[in-house]
Amino acid sequence: VWELYAGRERELHFGGGLVRQVRVDTNGDIYWSGLETPIGNNPLPDGFLYRMRHGTSNVETLLTFSQDLVGRDWWGAFDVRQGEVFVATRSLPTRIYRLVNSIPELVVTLPTELASFRIIDGNQFLVSNGKDRLLRFRDIASPQTSELVVQAPGRFVDFT
């Protein structure tokens, strides 16, 4: 995990698997997902989330969770809001879960593929389909309704 700032690079952490996504919580803690790519017909390995505490630079394995509990379809997509961790599956339909003591609790099922997402304003989600679209789901009680925020001319996977 690297920090890029003012034209400079600084290594924050090395090791613990292939980093898929990085997030920063409202308190400045840095989180990242770790997941190795399966080789051949091997199953997708269990998921790990790591945290570097703001101010101390101490890195810890925040939690692990079983791929069996999310349909063996988690490829590293997650978000963190005020210490609460959410993960999402990739394939259609996408399922977003809240992790409570490493146990996924289903929050919403969305009618789209998902590469990355952000929780905004508590009840809303921004979702990248990993191809060319950024969608807003304004109310998780109505997951069939979304609006197009960005139609990109090319592929993008993550956003801030």
Side-chain angles (χ1 to χ4, degrees):
V1 177
W2 293 82
E3 176 184 50
L4 304 175
Y5 182 74
R8 296 185 177 190
E9 302 172 352
R10 180 171 69 111
E11 183 178 297
L12 299 178
H13 183 73
F14 178 79
L18 179 63
V19 173
R20 296 291 179 150
Q21 289 187 350
V22 177
R23 297 288 183 259
V24 179
D25 200 356
T26 53
N27 66 357
D29 287 355
I30 300 172
Y31 297 79
W32 61 92
S33 56
L35 179 70
E36 295 300 330
T37 302
I39 298 173
N41 291 328
N42 290 319
L44 204 55
D46 290 341
F48 294 88
L49 289 174
Y50 301 92
R51 173 174 55 194
M52 177 183 283
R53 293 206 179 260
H54 177 69
T56 67
S57 297
N58 291 334
V59 174
E60 61 188 346
T61 302
L62 180 66
L63 54 86
T64 63
F65 66 96
S66 170
Q67 286 280 5
D68 287 333
L69 299 176
V70 293
R72 295 210 151 276
D73 192 29
W74 182 73
W75 286 86
F78 79 102
D79 200 15
V80 178
R81 282 293 167 260
Q82 299 175 336
E84 235 181 351
V85 178
F86 298 82
V87 298
T89 59
R90 182 164 180 88
S91 300
L92 184 64
T94 289
R95 295 172 313 279
I96 297 178
Y97 299 89
R98 177 183 295 110
L99 294 181
V100 179
N101 299 320
S102 294
I103 305 297
E105 296 179 351
L106 184 63
V107 173
V108 66
T109 300
L110 301 176
T112 186
E113 291 179 298
L114 180 149
S116 61
F117 71 103
R118 302 290 183 151
I119 300 166
I120 56 172
D121 298 329
N123 211 20
Q124 297 185 48
F125 293 91
L126 288 174
V127 171
S128 163
N129 69 354
K131 298 171 186 163
D132 59 355
R133 290 183 179 189
L134 182 66
L135 302 170
R136 176 181 289 120
F137 292 85
R138 289 195 178 273
D139 184 1
I140 62 172
S142 302
Q144 299 300 321
T145 305
S146 66
E147 61 189 60
L148 182 64
V149 177
V150 173
Q151 176 74 51
R155 186 178 178 101
F156 70 95
V157 176
D158 205 357
F159 60 96
T160 56

